[in-house]
Every structure is written in C-alpha cells, then in structure tokens.
Amino acid sequence: MQKETHVFQTEVKQLLQLMIHALYSNKEIFLRELVSNASDALDKLRFEMVSNDQLSEGESALKIQLAFDEKAKTITLSDNGIGMTRDEVIENIGTIANSGTKKFLEKLTGDQAKDSHLIGQFGVGFYSAFIVADQVTLRTRKAGVAIDQAVEWQSKGDGEFTLETISKPNKGTEIVLHLKDGMDEFLSSHRLKNIITTYSDHISFPIEMLEEKPIPQESGEQEQESKEDSKSDAPQTEMVWTQINKATALWTQAKSEISDEDYANFYQTLSHDFEKPLATLHNKVEGTLEYTSLLYIPTKAPFDLYDRDRRYGLKLYVKRVFIMDDAEHLMPNYLRFVRGVIDSNDLPLNVSREILQSNHVVDKIRSASVKRILDHLIKLSKNDDASIYQGFWDTFGQVIKEGIIEDYANREKLAGLMRFSSTHNQDAKQTVSLADYQARMSEGQESIYYLIADSYAAALGSPHLEGLRKKGIEVLLLTDRIDEWLVAHLTEFEGKALKSINQGDIAELADEDEAVTEEEQQARTSLVEKLQDALGDKVADVKITHRLTDSPACIVAQEGAMTPHMIRLMEQMGQALPKSAPILEVNSEHPVLKKVAALTEQTSVEPWALFLLEQAQLADGDTLAEPAAFIKRVNQLLTSN
C-alpha cells in the first residue's frame, strides 16, 4: 500500500499543540506514559493467549525494550505485546473516543502550571511523545496477523499523520522518538534508567535496556592474551539487553518492602495524576476468598468526574494476569474516584463483564472494598486535623451523597460522613455533620430541619427561616443539585426524622396559637377567607403562619407533595411535571396583611392576594408564569391609595 496522509481529529490537534509547547514541567513523564501503554499491550496479549496460545508466535518471554542513539538523536521503545491493526492505529492515535476530551480542553486556562496538572489527570498517553520529540514513528503488527500486514505511522505533530503498510517480523509495537533540539539529556543511559526506576519499577514485565558489558573470556584465552603484546589494555565489550526494573507487581509485595514513594509512583502511573494520593489502602485477604487489593483515594478530583459517558473502575487481575482496566462492578459508582488494583485467585481467567455482573466472588470483594474505603473515610473524619477530611469533602462530597441513594446497606455510615452548610455557621462551607446538628438540638426538638434552595445566598435569605431563627433552632441549608434526591432517601438519622421547613407543619412553632384571643382568631379567619376567595384554585389552602417574623407571606408544599425546587430540577432535565397548588401562609401581623384585612371590597383584595402569592413564589426561587403582569400589578399597588 502506498503511503497515505490523514488529518488528525480536531481535539487531537489541540492536544498535540499543548504537548509540542511542553506544558509539562517534568518532561520525563513521556517515558512513563509510553512504558505504561507498552505494559497494557503486553497485559492484553497475555490475556488473549489464555484462549489462543498461537498468538505468542513462539516468543515465551513478554518484555519491553528501550534503546537510544546519540548520533541519530533517537529513543526507541518496543514491546512484543498485542500490537495494532491499521484500523486500530487510526482509532487509537488519530482520534480520541473519550467524550470528556472537549470538557478537558474547555477547562484549560493558559496558566501553564494549572494546565499541566489537568493534562496529568487526563492521561495523554501516546501524545506525550511530542513533549520531547518533533517527529514520531510507530511500527506495529497485531499478534496473529501476517508479517507483511504491519503498519507504519508517522507524524511531526503538525496536524497530519501518514500510514503505510510494511513488513515487521515481530509482533507488537516499536516507537521511535526523534528528539527536539535541547532534549539531549534523554540520550543518556543513566537518565533513562533513573526515569524507569522512578516511575516504572513496578511494571510487572521486564524492561530491558542496551548496555555495554565486558565479554566473558575462558581462562585459557586470558592466559594466551597475557603472553601476547596487546596494543590496548581496554577489555573487550559487547552491547547486551539488561533488565533495569524489578518487574514485580507492586501489590504482590509485602507492605514492609514498599516505600511511600513506591506507592505514590504506582498511583501516578494508574491515575496520570501529579499529586500524591490522600490515602493508600493495601490489603491481602486469605481464607474463603484469596485476593489482594491496592486502593487509592485521590487528593484532587479528575476533571471528568461528572462525565456520564466516562467508564470508571479498578484494574482487575486474576492470578497476576491482567483482565480489564475499568471493572466497574468492583466499586460502586459513587466511589468512582477511587483508583487501584484488585488481583483475585478465585475468578476464572476468561472472566467477562457479564460474569462479573452476577458473581458472588465479585460481590464479596466489592462489599469488602467499599467497607475498607468507608471505614478509612470515617477515620479521616475523626482526625484531629479537621482540614484533612474537610478537603476531601469539598472535593468529593457531592459524589459521596450519591451513595445514600445507591447503597442502602451502607446508608448509616454514609450519613455519618455527610457535611452541610447550616444557620449555625457564618459562611457557605459544608462543615456541619448530622451528629454535630443533633448534639446542638434543643430539648424537645422533634426533627432535624433542613431547607433546600438554589444557592446558599437564597437559602440564607429565605423567609422560612424567620420563625425558627427566632427560636434558636438550627436549620441545614442544602444547595447541591443532588440534595433533593438525598433527603428523599435519607429520611432519618439516629432516630430523628429529617424534615423540610417549607413542607408541612413545624411542631416547634405550633405553640404560638396559645396566646391568640377569640377576637384575634375571628380576624384571622376573616383574612384567610378573603385571600382564599381571591386566589381560588391557585392555592391549596391559605393559613396564618408561625414561620414568619419579618416577611408578609411564604408558600409551603403540602406534606408528601413534590416541592417546587424538585419540579424545577426535573424541568431543567427536560421532564415537565404537573405543579400542585401550594399552601400560602401569611403573617397576619405584617403591615401589608393588616392593610388587606381592612379592605372591605373583594375586588380590592384580589390584586393584593396575587401580589402576596407571587412574591412568595419569587422568594422561594420559583419563576412566574407572567412576570410582566406581576410588575404591572406591583406598580398599580404602589401608586394606589
């Protein structure tokens, strides 16, 4: 086949430009990424060989080889792994299937330090070669494919790449980096070995490097040489492949043999993150089940944490054989930020996603892994340094809240991990636990009260807080989008019901009726009847409120009805729902209501009644069906006597 020229996908072009302009502060990361890809290719071949040993093509040892040429200014990395077909080369290198790429690119700020961190999280893989190279040549042949059906890919990172069919005797992939000017530091055996031992020592396949070694000589030859005149005393040498990494899977080693730096380097290889993990949990389980887990809790959230199309999960190995790198059945979705490895001795090597979905071994491993993560988070939450857990919650709190909905078995533990804003605090920080709230509850208080609003400012300014604030009763202020679903599933904590203050009656405010005289009660009844007649079916009921001290009115959802906030959320998701009429509660002591009570003509009551209802809806964060009519009505009321 003649050489063909192709154009990179737009997103790839943008990434290449970032690589070419070297946003990475530590350029050596390119080797970590390429070695990681080579290791994946070897893992995939080893897995395929379980069912088809012909794919080995007579090579028993799987390995990665690294070489450099000072004169040509090239670095060559090769593996005898699974390799790629022509279509796979185009799919894996010419395009990016990950839908989160655009979001990643949108987050770039132009600040090299910040953008470098994002790129690290994204995991640029193959494209990192262009950090140090101005031309990259890749030659690859899929295992089991004819020798003359190999592919050569080449690009200068300028928006195009070429493809050509070639012959390649060995399966696998070879990458040649033609280094840019100023990158000569990588043309050094010492430098390359140092990078491998720093970032890739744990790779479970041998990484070999060409090194100069003395040629071993027989004793007879040595005696003969000593008798002859030698022009040079230098010993004879040869270039041989020498293993430069331990080639032992990190998780198989004893904890006592692994340093914090080893754990951190392995995490960074798994996650493509520059940060050290917040926590490392390494456990070997023996007994009914035998498996090893190495789990990491990150410090920073990956940029695509909320990308619905992104596949998450742990790397799954069976008896040290790699099976899949996104085994989502091993960790629930609300813990999708956890990175790590599970290596089981009890699963079959031919395990599939379908088998994982309904396998009792997987269920037990998952349950134990979740328990380990949650127990550690509980421990963190009780740490003397509160900032450690607070930093975790600020980063992953909204995701943890999903667990209340998804994971009934662990709901109690998860409830203890929750943090909220509250009227007890002076800022919007989510620092109040349900246990904190319960410890501050007044004697006789029946419920844990909360208010859901679109923002902290809206919640803090809500008229619903007035009566409770006067009585010194704390209210949780819930402003995350998921909070409406959260409280629908978390209905109580340690025997105390969670109750919305804008839905149904509040027991602690009911005693206000005790001081009302018969005359005052008749006046209230008359006021309520006027407003009910004026509003008709726009409201389910009109009541005298005990919630308000300063505001004239508020709307309250009926007990068990869907709240206006939930209806708005569903509408934003494209699911229009019928709105149930709210209850209008009015403050009879407010000057506006006193004015309405004094009106004798029902036609004069109607505009005031509509004004009270609509301003209460606005205060609740709702939108008006006819905002222009509301403004006109307000202006008329302002100018009337």
Side-chain angles (χ1 to χ4, degrees), residues 334 393 397-418 420 434 482-483 485-493:
Y334 72 91
W393 182 260
Q398 288 198 53
V399 182
I400 290 293
K401 286 179 179 180
E402 295 174 15
I404 293 291
I405 303 165
E406 297 175 17
D407 190 353
Y408 183 83
N410 287 299
R411 189 168 294 177
E412 186 176 340
K413 286 184 177 181
L414 288 164
L417 292 171
M418 299 290 123
F420 304 98
L434 292 173
I482 194 173
D483 285 339
W485 286 273
L486 171 73
V487 293
H489 292 80
L490 182 64
T491 56
E492 64 92 25
F493 178 75

Side-chain angles (χ1 to χ4, degrees), residues 565-577:
H565 186 266
M566 174 62 94
I567 292 172
R568 290 196 297 274
L569 286 177
M570 299 303 288
E571 286 175 344
Q572 290 168 12
M573 297 166 62
Q575 300 181 38
L577 296 174

Side-chain angles (χ1 to χ4, degrees), residues 223-240:
E223 291 174 4
Q224 180 66 27
E225 281 189 5
S226 64
K227 296 177 182 179
E228 297 176 357
D229 293 329
S230 176
K231 295 182 180 180
S232 172
D233 292 332
Q236 290 184 309
T237 62
E238 63 179 345
M239 299 300 291
V240 296

